Short mmCIF file of all heavy atoms in Angstrom, two decimals:
data_model
loop_
_atom_site.label_atom_id
_atom_site.label_comp_id
_atom_site.label_asym_id
_atom_site.label_seq_id
_atom_site.Cartn_x
_atom_site.Cartn_y
_atom_site.Cartn_z
N LEU A 161 37.80 60.39 -55.37
CA LEU A 161 37.65 61.83 -55.08
C LEU A 161 38.23 62.16 -53.70
O LEU A 161 38.87 63.19 -53.51
CB LEU A 161 36.19 62.25 -55.13
CG LEU A 161 35.48 62.14 -56.48
CD1 LEU A 161 34.05 62.68 -56.34
CD2 LEU A 161 36.22 62.88 -57.58
N LEU A 162 38.00 61.27 -52.74
CA LEU A 162 38.52 61.50 -51.39
C LEU A 162 40.03 61.36 -51.36
O LEU A 162 40.74 62.19 -50.77
CB LEU A 162 37.86 60.53 -50.41
CG LEU A 162 36.32 60.66 -50.31
CD1 LEU A 162 35.73 59.50 -49.50
CD2 LEU A 162 35.92 61.99 -49.68
N LEU A 163 40.53 60.33 -52.02
CA LEU A 163 41.97 60.09 -52.07
C LEU A 163 42.70 61.27 -52.71
O LEU A 163 43.74 61.70 -52.24
CB LEU A 163 42.25 58.80 -52.85
CG LEU A 163 41.88 57.51 -52.09
CD1 LEU A 163 41.67 56.36 -53.07
CD2 LEU A 163 42.95 57.15 -51.07
N ALA A 164 42.13 61.80 -53.80
CA ALA A 164 42.76 62.93 -54.48
C ALA A 164 42.86 64.14 -53.57
O ALA A 164 43.72 65.00 -53.75
CB ALA A 164 41.98 63.28 -55.75
N ARG A 165 41.97 64.20 -52.59
CA ARG A 165 41.94 65.33 -51.66
C ARG A 165 42.68 64.98 -50.35
O ARG A 165 42.53 65.70 -49.35
CB ARG A 165 40.50 65.74 -51.39
CG ARG A 165 39.87 66.49 -52.59
CD ARG A 165 38.37 66.45 -52.58
NE ARG A 165 37.82 67.19 -53.73
CZ ARG A 165 37.76 66.73 -54.98
NH1 ARG A 165 38.26 65.52 -55.26
NH2 ARG A 165 37.28 67.48 -55.95
N GLY A 166 43.44 63.91 -50.37
CA GLY A 166 44.33 63.64 -49.23
C GLY A 166 43.76 62.74 -48.14
O GLY A 166 44.38 62.62 -47.07
N MET A 167 42.63 62.11 -48.39
CA MET A 167 42.03 61.25 -47.38
C MET A 167 42.15 59.78 -47.78
O MET A 167 41.91 59.43 -48.93
CB MET A 167 40.55 61.61 -47.18
CG MET A 167 40.37 63.01 -46.56
SD MET A 167 38.66 63.65 -46.72
CE MET A 167 38.73 64.35 -48.40
N ALA A 168 42.47 58.92 -46.82
CA ALA A 168 42.40 57.46 -47.02
C ALA A 168 40.93 57.04 -47.01
O ALA A 168 40.06 57.82 -46.58
CB ALA A 168 43.19 56.74 -45.95
N THR A 169 40.65 55.84 -47.50
CA THR A 169 39.27 55.35 -47.51
C THR A 169 39.23 53.91 -47.01
O THR A 169 40.15 53.13 -47.24
CB THR A 169 38.66 55.38 -48.93
OG1 THR A 169 39.41 54.49 -49.78
CG2 THR A 169 38.70 56.79 -49.51
N ALA A 170 38.13 53.58 -46.33
CA ALA A 170 37.92 52.20 -45.89
C ALA A 170 36.49 51.80 -46.23
O ALA A 170 35.56 52.59 -46.04
CB ALA A 170 38.15 52.09 -44.38
N THR A 171 36.34 50.59 -46.75
CA THR A 171 34.99 50.08 -47.05
C THR A 171 34.85 48.68 -46.48
O THR A 171 35.82 47.93 -46.38
CB THR A 171 34.73 50.02 -48.56
OG1 THR A 171 35.66 49.14 -49.18
CG2 THR A 171 34.86 51.40 -49.21
N PHE A 172 33.64 48.33 -46.09
CA PHE A 172 33.38 46.99 -45.55
C PHE A 172 31.90 46.70 -45.72
O PHE A 172 31.10 47.58 -46.05
CB PHE A 172 33.74 46.93 -44.05
CG PHE A 172 32.84 47.76 -43.17
CD1 PHE A 172 31.81 47.17 -42.44
CD2 PHE A 172 32.97 49.13 -43.10
CE1 PHE A 172 30.95 47.93 -41.64
CE2 PHE A 172 32.11 49.91 -42.30
CZ PHE A 172 31.11 49.31 -41.59
N ASP A 173 31.52 45.44 -45.54
CA ASP A 173 30.11 45.08 -45.52
C ASP A 173 29.66 44.84 -44.09
O ASP A 173 30.32 44.09 -43.35
CB ASP A 173 29.88 43.78 -46.33
CG ASP A 173 30.23 43.95 -47.78
OD1 ASP A 173 30.07 45.07 -48.32
OD2 ASP A 173 30.67 42.95 -48.40
N GLY A 174 28.56 45.46 -43.72
CA GLY A 174 27.96 45.23 -42.42
C GLY A 174 26.79 44.26 -42.55
O GLY A 174 26.55 43.68 -43.62
N PRO A 175 26.05 44.08 -41.47
CA PRO A 175 24.90 43.14 -41.46
C PRO A 175 23.95 43.39 -42.64
O PRO A 175 23.54 44.52 -42.88
CB PRO A 175 24.22 43.46 -40.14
CG PRO A 175 25.33 43.94 -39.25
CD PRO A 175 26.25 44.69 -40.15
N GLY A 176 23.63 42.32 -43.35
CA GLY A 176 22.71 42.42 -44.48
C GLY A 176 23.35 42.80 -45.79
O GLY A 176 22.69 42.83 -46.82
N GLN A 177 24.66 43.08 -45.77
CA GLN A 177 25.33 43.56 -46.99
C GLN A 177 26.36 42.57 -47.52
O GLN A 177 27.09 41.95 -46.75
CB GLN A 177 26.06 44.87 -46.70
CG GLN A 177 25.16 46.03 -46.31
CD GLN A 177 25.97 47.27 -45.93
OE1 GLN A 177 27.06 47.18 -45.40
NE2 GLN A 177 25.39 48.45 -46.22
N GLY A 178 26.42 42.47 -48.82
CA GLY A 178 27.52 41.79 -49.50
C GLY A 178 27.97 40.49 -48.86
O GLY A 178 27.17 39.58 -48.62
N GLU A 179 29.25 40.40 -48.59
CA GLU A 179 29.82 39.16 -48.04
C GLU A 179 29.28 38.81 -46.67
O GLU A 179 29.32 37.66 -46.26
CB GLU A 179 31.35 39.30 -47.95
CG GLU A 179 32.05 39.15 -49.26
CD GLU A 179 33.57 39.06 -49.05
OE1 GLU A 179 34.07 37.93 -48.90
OE2 GLU A 179 34.24 40.10 -49.08
N MET A 180 28.82 39.82 -45.92
CA MET A 180 28.36 39.52 -44.57
C MET A 180 26.93 38.97 -44.54
O MET A 180 26.50 38.39 -43.54
CB MET A 180 28.47 40.74 -43.67
CG MET A 180 28.30 40.35 -42.20
SD MET A 180 28.58 41.67 -41.06
CE MET A 180 30.37 41.69 -41.00
N PHE A 181 26.20 39.13 -45.63
CA PHE A 181 24.80 38.73 -45.66
C PHE A 181 24.61 37.24 -45.28
O PHE A 181 23.66 36.90 -44.59
CB PHE A 181 24.18 39.01 -47.02
CG PHE A 181 22.79 38.50 -47.18
CD1 PHE A 181 21.72 39.12 -46.55
CD2 PHE A 181 22.53 37.38 -47.98
CE1 PHE A 181 20.42 38.64 -46.71
CE2 PHE A 181 21.23 36.90 -48.13
CZ PHE A 181 20.18 37.54 -47.49
N VAL A 182 25.52 36.39 -45.72
CA VAL A 182 25.35 34.96 -45.37
C VAL A 182 25.47 34.71 -43.88
O VAL A 182 24.90 33.77 -43.35
CB VAL A 182 26.37 34.07 -46.14
CG1 VAL A 182 26.13 34.11 -47.63
CG2 VAL A 182 27.81 34.46 -45.82
N HIS A 183 26.20 35.58 -43.19
CA HIS A 183 26.37 35.42 -41.74
C HIS A 183 25.32 36.20 -40.94
O HIS A 183 24.90 35.76 -39.88
CB HIS A 183 27.75 35.89 -41.31
CG HIS A 183 28.87 35.25 -42.05
ND1 HIS A 183 29.17 33.92 -41.92
CD2 HIS A 183 29.74 35.75 -42.95
CE1 HIS A 183 30.22 33.63 -42.71
NE2 HIS A 183 30.57 34.72 -43.34
N ARG A 184 24.96 37.39 -41.44
CA ARG A 184 24.10 38.25 -40.63
C ARG A 184 23.12 39.02 -41.51
O ARG A 184 23.49 39.63 -42.51
CB ARG A 184 24.92 39.29 -39.86
CG ARG A 184 25.73 38.71 -38.73
CD ARG A 184 25.36 39.13 -37.31
NE ARG A 184 24.07 39.68 -37.02
CZ ARG A 184 23.86 40.67 -36.16
NH1 ARG A 184 24.88 41.27 -35.57
NH2 ARG A 184 22.64 41.09 -35.88
N GLU A 185 21.85 39.00 -41.12
CA GLU A 185 20.86 39.80 -41.79
C GLU A 185 21.00 41.27 -41.33
O GLU A 185 21.71 41.56 -40.38
CB GLU A 185 19.45 39.29 -41.46
CG GLU A 185 19.00 39.52 -40.02
CD GLU A 185 19.56 38.50 -39.03
OE1 GLU A 185 20.48 37.75 -39.43
OE2 GLU A 185 19.12 38.49 -37.87
N LEU A 186 20.27 42.14 -42.02
CA LEU A 186 20.19 43.54 -41.58
C LEU A 186 19.84 43.57 -40.11
O LEU A 186 18.94 42.85 -39.67
CB LEU A 186 19.14 44.27 -42.41
CG LEU A 186 18.88 45.75 -42.09
CD1 LEU A 186 18.58 46.52 -43.37
CD2 LEU A 186 17.73 45.91 -41.08
N SER A 187 20.51 44.40 -39.33
CA SER A 187 20.23 44.41 -37.89
C SER A 187 20.41 45.82 -37.34
O SER A 187 20.89 46.72 -38.03
CB SER A 187 21.14 43.43 -37.17
OG SER A 187 22.48 43.85 -37.27
#
Side-chain angles (χ1 to χ4, degrees):
Chain A
L161 296 183
L162 299 170
L163 288 157
R165 287 159 179 78
M167 293 165 276
T169 63
T171 61
F172 69 100
D173 297 328
Q177 296 176 328
E179 283 189 90
M180 194 174 280
F181 174 73
V182 295
H183 306 292
R184 289 245 20 218
E185 69 281 11
L186 178 144
S187 65

